[in-house]
Amino acid sequence: MLLAVGPTAAHWAYLYAASAVIATTTGIIAVSRYCTPPRFQLNLFFPSVREGFHFATSLASQSVYNDIDKTMLRA
């Protein structure tokens, strides 16, 4: 019944997210089985999020800087 209307962008997004969850879960189980289980340290969480945010925004701004001329020429 999910695909009775036809695949939409939302359906593809849900399938993509589900496949990522399945791959992540499989990877964590495999690594935990063959190596030691991961130890989560909450005191490192916020510094990592801050560093990751700066990394992600720098890549996004670089992409915009490299491709903004194409958008401006089309307008």
Side-chain angles (χ1 to χ4, degrees):
M1 189 70 184
L2 180 66
L3 297 177
V5 178
T8 64
H11 291 136
W12 286 109
Y14 291 137
L15 290 173
Y16 186 76
S19 68
V21 168
I22 291 169
T24 301
T25 304
T26 304
I28 289 174
I29 290 171
V31 168
S32 295
R33 184 171 291 169
Y34 293 113
C35 302
T36 59
R39 290 179 290 142
F40 297 104
Q41 297 174 338
L42 291 177
N43 60 340
L44 298 177
F45 178 75
F46 290 110
S48 297
V49 168
R50 184 174 54 229
E51 182 180 354
F53 178 76
H54 292 306
F55 180 75
T57 55
S58 69
L59 286 179
S61 62
Q62 181 182 6
S63 177
V64 168
Y65 179 75
N66 289 338
D67 296 333
I68 193 67
D69 59 337
K70 296 168 190 70
T71 304
M72 291 175 64
L73 289 174
R74 290 182 186 171

